[in-house]
Amino acid sequence: MEEIHAPLSDQAALAESQHCLYCYDAPCIHACPTGIDVPTFIKRIANGDAAGAAKTILTANILGASCSRVCPTEVLCEGACVLSHEYEPIQIGLLQRYATDYVTARGIFVLDAPAEATGFHVAIVGAGPAGLGCAADLASLGHHVVILEKEVEAGGLNTRGVAYYKMKPRVSLDEVRLVESLGVEIRTGVNVGTDLTAADLLSQYDAIFVAIGLGHESELGIPGEVGAGVRSALDFIRDIHEMPLESVSIGKTVLVIGGGNTAIDAVSQAKRLGATFATLAYRRKEDQMSAYAFEVALARATDCRMIFEAKPVEVVRHGNGGLAGVKFIHASSGKEWIEPCDQLLLAIGQPKQDHFLKSLFPSLQLDARGCVVTDPLTGRTSLHKVFAGGDCANGGMEVVNAVGEGKKAAMAIHHMLTGKTAAPKSQNSRCGIAHPAAGAGLWNPIRSATH
Ligand code: SF4
């Protein structure tokens, strides 16, 4: 159950960093929703300055440590690396993890001290990635920030909703402490709407950022679903984080229904924890899965089985009510069959929180999906001084997208409150060295022989 990618050693990080071309107008920066200055942090590692590298990363993305583990780097920064066209991309994710782990392990605080207090107060509803990203930038600009979180722990799904082999809760909780160290107050166990009304928020705070994420796992809505042996994949993953591993209930024949990354996490995790058979069933074709191809490959590599075009129609039970399996109908052939299982995990998506949002802010504009309508550049909503970002606005994207939306809203809130435009919390000012695609001929292909 160790993290799937081993961390880089000092020597490996140094060697890898020296292959970076330090590109002018580097595409890896543009591919990052938080605009981390990738070549600069890599250059700092190459110079033996891991703490400086961490400062570059964390200034742009306060969740840089968790993003280095859960980001689909293959389709973001590493996918954009110029070296990926003909050779292997720089291992940006592993280098980012190396630098952020370096300062966390040594207790080194690398961020600049927050600006002088402005006297403005901002409330953030939700302590997930969007809320934390927004809070960090607002606090560093001198605003007093209070995050209101209904769960007992902050961090959102990063803390208890990611497969154990990808990231341990410790990484997320360390990031929460980092945000608090900027002066952000996090109040957990607070139910906005009951403990604190929208009227309270609007009267007590100068701005509000709504970052409530999505609701709990959706249900199939088929006969037999309610009963023993059936649970949400997110609850299953949460148990793995919170209980001794030997106490987590694992079936011998585990069936996971869903086609996203949570489904992949659940089926891989079940197999790694001892299920004899672990099967993922998805109602559409493989190329229509929302899970990334490399995640699917990872599950297959751990002997997980996949069945496609499998539409569940009934959860089949024994006479005593015990779980027997799931009856499916094939989407193309119409053939029916029963897939036996003694544990069924549902990962069919999280519902939008439109009812809650409407009860909190009746005139808040939502789109047809139930997401908050926001200005994409600022996170402004239809309500004065109310901003939103993360999954409740984008419908469910990556952690790094949520952090990026939180940062954009922070800049917009700062401008609304002070009339000033803050410099983005990332820099991209280096002497440029053109990459091979520009024909500069500075690149040494010898690197390819080392990989
Ligand atoms: Fe980014 Fe260029 Fe370095 Fe790749 S080689 S990581 S694109 S700066």
Side-chain angles (χ1 to χ4, degrees):
M1 300 306 288
E2 287 306 309
E3 291 187 17
I4 198 155
H5 297 295
L8 293 177
S9 65
D10 292 340
Q11 293 81 0
L14 188 63
E16 183 67 12
S17 63
Q18 289 171 343
H19 295 306
C20 176
L21 304 173
Y22 199 51
C23 303
Y24 177 75
D25 198 22
C28 51
I29 300 176
H30 300 296
C32 174
T34 61
I36 293 175
D37 189 336
V38 175
T40 291
F41 95 68
I42 292 178
K43 188 74 171 176
R44 287 181 168 165
I45 293 174
N47 289 341
D49 181 13
K55 178 173 184 174
T56 301
I57 295 162
L58 297 173
T59 301
N61 181 349
I62 198 76
L63 301 196
S66 57
C67 284
S68 74
R69 291 164 166 85
V70 302
C71 260
T73 52
E74 292 84 348
V75 295
L76 293 174
C77 53
E78 292 176 16
C81 176
V82 297
L83 295 175
S84 67
H85 300 315
E86 292 186 57
Y87 299 95
E88 291 177 41
I90 298 292
Q91 297 182 73
I92 301 169
L94 280 174
L95 288 171
Q96 182 167 316
R97 178 176 159 193
Y98 169 78
T100 52
D101 284 358
Y102 180 92
V103 292
T104 305
R106 291 162 178 77
I108 303 171
F109 183 82
V110 292
L111 298 174
D112 290 333
E116 198 175 320
T118 61
F120 290 110
H121 297 262
V122 181
I124 294 177
V125 186
L132 293 171
C134 185
D137 279 13
L138 284 171
S140 69
L141 290 165
H143 304 296
H144 180 249
V145 182
V146 175
I147 303 184
L148 306 162
E149 168 58 51
K150 71 174 183 194
E151 301 289 342
V152 294
E153 284 180 317
L157 287 184
N158 263 5
T159 300
R160 302 287 170 191
V162 178
Y164 210 60
Y165 60 86
K166 286 186 186 167
M167 182 170 76
K168 303 277 192 294
R170 166 192 58 76
V171 178
S172 174
L173 294 173
D174 283 341
E175 291 175 330
V176 171
R177 301 289 93 78
L178 186 59
V179 172
E180 288 180 315
S181 71
L182 293 168
V184 172
E185 186 185 338
I186 301 179
R187 298 181 195 160
T188 55
V190 176
N191 279 295
V192 171
T194 50
D195 299 334
L196 206 67
T197 66
D200 294 332
L201 292 176
L202 291 165
S203 64
Q204 294 172 19
Y205 294 94
D206 300 297
I208 298 158
F209 180 61
V210 178
I212 60 171
L214 298 172
H216 205 56
E217 202 73 66
S218 300
E219 294 176 352
L220 290 166
I222 59 175
E225 179 175 5
V226 178
V230 182
R231 62 187 317 214
S232 96
L234 282 175
D235 285 345
F236 170 69
I237 292 170
R238 176 181 285 259
D239 276 1
I240 293 168
H241 287 307
E242 294 182 347
M243 299 166 67
L245 290 179
E246 60 276 14
S247 306
V248 177
S249 172
I250 306 284
K252 281 199 173 69
T253 307
V254 178
L255 180 62
V256 179
I257 296 183
N261 289 323
T262 299
I264 293 287
D265 280 3
V267 75
S268 298
Q269 197 86 78
K271 186 66 183 163
R272 284 161 191 267
L273 282 171
T276 310
F277 301 104
T279 302
L280 179 147
Y282 179 51
R283 66 196 167 109
R284 296 197 178 101
K285 295 182 176 169
E286 179 169 359
D287 61 5
Q288 294 174 291
M289 292 177 84
S290 59
Y292 291 107
F294 60 86
E295 299 264 17
V296 176
L298 186 66
R300 284 205 169 100
T302 48
D303 286 336
C304 296
R305 181 176 154 244
M306 312 246 169
I307 53 178
F308 299 101
E309 295 192 80
K311 183 174 178 243
V313 291
E314 181 185 348
V315 175
V316 181
R317 295 194 173 274
H318 296 295
N320 64 3
L323 181 61
V326 175
K327 182 193 278 187
F328 289 97
I329 182 165
H330 194 272
S332 295
S333 68
K335 184 186 115 189
E336 285 190 356
W337 80 101
I338 293 174
E339 196 68 38
C341 65
D342 58 10
Q343 186 174 42
L344 175 61
L345 304 174
L346 304 182
I348 53 173
Q350 296 170 259
K352 312 295 183 294
Q353 302 212 61
D354 46 340
H355 294 299
F356 171 73
L357 287 164
K358 276 293 181 190
S359 68
L360 193 63
F361 298 111
S363 54
L364 182 67
Q365 191 183 353
L366 306 181
D367 65 18
R369 301 173 300 166
C371 297
V372 185
V373 174
T374 57
D375 178 320
L377 294 179
T378 63
R380 274 182 187 275
T381 71
S382 56
L383 299 181
H384 174 59
K385 78 179 192 181
V386 178
F387 297 72
D391 287 354
C392 70
N394 64 35
M397 293 180 75
E398 301 297 337
V399 169
V400 71
N401 296 101
V403 179
E405 290 173 21
K407 289 167 59 67
K408 280 183 198 165
M411 295 301 112
I413 290 169
H414 178 71
H415 186 261
M416 179 189 77
L417 296 177
T418 66
K420 296 176 187 161
T421 302
K425 292 281 172 190
S426 58
Q427 303 85 39
N428 182 15
S429 54
R430 307 168 312 285
C431 59
I433 298 176
H435 58 68
L442 295 173
W443 177 59
N444 182 352
I446 283 172
R447 173 180 183 268
S448 61
T450 68
H451 280 255

mmCIF file of all heavy atoms in Angstrom, residues 20-23 26-28 38-39 42 80-83 90 92, ligand 1:
data_model
loop_
_atom_site.group_PDB
_atom_site.id
_atom_site.type_symbol
_atom_site.label_atom_id
_atom_site.label_comp_id
_atom_site.label_asym_id
_atom_site.label_seq_id
_atom_site.Cartn_x
_atom_site.Cartn_y
_atom_site.Cartn_z
ATOM 1 N N CYS A 20 16.213 19.172 -18.229
ATOM 2 C CA CYS A 20 15.224 20.182 -18.638
ATOM 3 C C CYS A 20 15.897 21.219 -19.535
ATOM 4 O O CYS A 20 17.037 21.626 -19.293
ATOM 5 C CB CYS A 20 14.618 20.843 -17.408
ATOM 6 S SG CYS A 20 13.467 22.170 -17.797
ATOM 7 N N LEU A 21 15.189 21.655 -20.542
ATOM 8 C CA LEU A 21 15.741 22.611 -21.512
ATOM 9 C C LEU A 21 15.489 24.051 -21.101
ATOM 10 O O LEU A 21 15.928 24.964 -21.794
ATOM 11 C CB LEU A 21 15.124 22.356 -22.889
ATOM 12 C CG LEU A 21 15.299 20.936 -23.408
ATOM 13 C CD1 LEU A 21 14.504 20.749 -24.677
ATOM 14 C CD2 LEU A 21 16.763 20.629 -23.632
ATOM 15 N N TYR A 22 14.737 24.233 -20.030
ATOM 16 C CA TYR A 22 14.474 25.575 -19.524
ATOM 17 C C TYR A 22 13.904 26.425 -20.666
ATOM 18 O O TYR A 22 14.404 27.491 -20.997
ATOM 19 C CB TYR A 22 15.769 26.166 -18.964
ATOM 20 C CG TYR A 22 15.592 27.328 -18.019
ATOM 21 C CD1 TYR A 22 14.723 27.255 -16.947
ATOM 22 C CD2 TYR A 22 16.328 28.497 -18.194
ATOM 23 C CE1 TYR A 22 14.586 28.316 -16.079
ATOM 24 C CE2 TYR A 22 16.197 29.567 -17.329
ATOM 25 C CZ TYR A 22 15.319 29.462 -16.270
ATOM 26 O OH TYR A 22 15.182 30.527 -15.408
ATOM 27 N N CYS A 23 12.857 25.932 -21.228
ATOM 28 C CA CYS A 23 12.327 26.509 -22.472
ATOM 29 C C CYS A 23 11.809 27.937 -22.290
ATOM 30 O O CYS A 23 11.206 28.266 -21.260
ATOM 31 C CB CYS A 23 11.168 25.667 -22.991
ATOM 32 S SG CYS A 23 11.579 23.954 -23.278
ATOM 33 N N ALA A 26 7.661 28.342 -21.893
ATOM 34 C CA ALA A 26 7.562 26.890 -21.735
ATOM 35 C C ALA A 26 6.110 26.403 -21.750
ATOM 36 O O ALA A 26 5.282 26.885 -20.976
ATOM 37 C CB ALA A 26 8.232 26.480 -20.428
ATOM 38 N N PRO A 27 5.815 25.441 -22.604
ATOM 39 C CA PRO A 27 4.440 24.927 -22.677
ATOM 40 C C PRO A 27 3.985 24.224 -21.400
ATOM 41 O O PRO A 27 2.793 24.158 -21.119
ATOM 42 C CB PRO A 27 4.485 23.961 -23.862
ATOM 43 C CG PRO A 27 5.921 23.627 -24.052
ATOM 44 C CD PRO A 27 6.699 24.808 -23.605
ATOM 45 N N CYS A 28 4.951 23.713 -20.624
ATOM 46 C CA CYS A 28 4.571 23.034 -19.381
ATOM 47 C C CYS A 28 3.915 24.016 -18.405
ATOM 48 O O CYS A 28 3.057 23.627 -17.610
ATOM 49 C CB CYS A 28 5.788 22.370 -18.746
ATOM 50 S SG CYS A 28 7.198 23.468 -18.566
ATOM 51 N N VAL A 38 7.369 25.916 -14.025
ATOM 52 C CA VAL A 38 8.043 24.611 -13.998
ATOM 53 C C VAL A 38 9.545 24.730 -14.267
ATOM 54 O O VAL A 38 10.359 24.208 -13.499
ATOM 55 C CB VAL A 38 7.359 23.638 -14.987
ATOM 56 C CG1 VAL A 38 8.112 22.320 -15.076
ATOM 57 C CG2 VAL A 38 5.909 23.401 -14.573
ATOM 58 N N PRO A 39 9.969 25.401 -15.356
ATOM 59 C CA PRO A 39 11.417 25.444 -15.594
ATOM 60 C C PRO A 39 12.203 26.096 -14.472
ATOM 61 O O PRO A 39 13.327 25.667 -14.183
ATOM 62 C CB PRO A 39 11.553 26.245 -16.896
ATOM 63 C CG PRO A 39 10.200 26.627 -17.319
ATOM 64 C CD PRO A 39 9.187 26.009 -16.433
ATOM 65 N N ILE A 42 12.521 23.584 -11.643
ATOM 66 C CA ILE A 42 13.439 22.512 -12.026
ATOM 67 C C ILE A 42 14.887 23.028 -12.004
ATOM 68 O O ILE A 42 15.805 22.340 -11.555
ATOM 69 C CB ILE A 42 13.064 21.936 -13.404
ATOM 70 C CG1 ILE A 42 11.719 21.204 -13.302
ATOM 71 C CG2 ILE A 42 14.146 20.994 -13.919
ATOM 72 C CD1 ILE A 42 11.207 20.624 -14.607
ATOM 73 N N ALA A 80 2.664 18.252 -22.129
ATOM 74 C CA ALA A 80 3.018 19.431 -22.931
ATOM 75 C C ALA A 80 4.524 19.598 -23.089
ATOM 76 O O ALA A 80 4.970 20.413 -23.908
ATOM 77 C CB ALA A 80 2.437 20.684 -22.272
ATOM 78 N N CYS A 81 5.312 18.870 -22.317
ATOM 79 C CA CYS A 81 6.780 19.028 -22.369
ATOM 80 C C CYS A 81 7.287 18.788 -23.791
ATOM 81 O O CYS A 81 6.909 17.801 -24.440
ATOM 82 C CB CYS A 81 7.423 18.036 -21.386
ATOM 83 S SG CYS A 81 9.225 18.058 -21.443
ATOM 84 N N VAL A 82 8.143 19.682 -24.250
ATOM 85 C CA VAL A 82 8.623 19.565 -25.634
ATOM 86 C C VAL A 82 9.354 18.244 -25.872
ATOM 87 O O VAL A 82 9.385 17.747 -26.993
ATOM 88 C CB VAL A 82 9.541 20.742 -26.009
ATOM 89 C CG1 VAL A 82 8.797 22.055 -25.967
ATOM 90 C CG2 VAL A 82 10.770 20.786 -25.122
ATOM 91 N N LEU A 83 9.910 17.677 -24.831
ATOM 92 C CA LEU A 83 10.648 16.428 -25.002
ATOM 93 C C LEU A 83 9.724 15.242 -25.250
ATOM 94 O O LEU A 83 10.174 14.180 -25.688
ATOM 95 C CB LEU A 83 11.529 16.161 -23.778
ATOM 96 C CG LEU A 83 12.651 17.174 -23.572
ATOM 97 C CD1 LEU A 83 13.390 16.904 -22.274
ATOM 98 C CD2 LEU A 83 13.626 17.114 -24.740
ATOM 99 N N ILE A 90 10.209 15.372 -19.282
ATOM 100 C CA ILE A 90 10.792 15.529 -17.949
ATOM 101 C C ILE A 90 9.765 15.026 -16.927
ATOM 102 O O ILE A 90 8.573 15.276 -17.055
ATOM 103 C CB ILE A 90 11.106 17.019 -17.676
ATOM 104 C CG1 ILE A 90 12.142 17.536 -18.678
ATOM 105 C CG2 ILE A 90 11.576 17.233 -16.243
ATOM 106 C CD1 ILE A 90 13.513 16.950 -18.535
ATOM 107 N N ILE A 92 8.107 15.848 -14.404
ATOM 108 C CA ILE A 92 7.777 17.059 -13.648
ATOM 109 C C ILE A 92 7.078 16.721 -12.333
ATOM 110 O O ILE A 92 7.372 17.296 -11.285
ATOM 111 C CB ILE A 92 6.911 18.001 -14.512
ATOM 112 C CG1 ILE A 92 7.663 18.377 -15.793
ATOM 113 C CG2 ILE A 92 6.515 19.245 -13.735
ATOM 114 C CD1 ILE A 92 6.805 19.087 -16.835
HETATM 115 FE FE1 SF4 B 1 9.067 22.457 -19.481
HETATM 116 FE FE2 SF4 B 1 10.772 22.613 -21.566
HETATM 117 FE FE3 SF4 B 1 11.653 21.668 -19.219
HETATM 118 FE FE4 SF4 B 1 9.874 20.212 -20.700
HETATM 119 S S1 SF4 B 1 11.995 20.742 -21.263
HETATM 120 S S2 SF4 B 1 9.819 20.583 -18.476
HETATM 121 S S3 SF4 B 1 8.639 21.885 -21.622
HETATM 122 S S4 SF4 B 1 10.896 23.769 -19.630
#
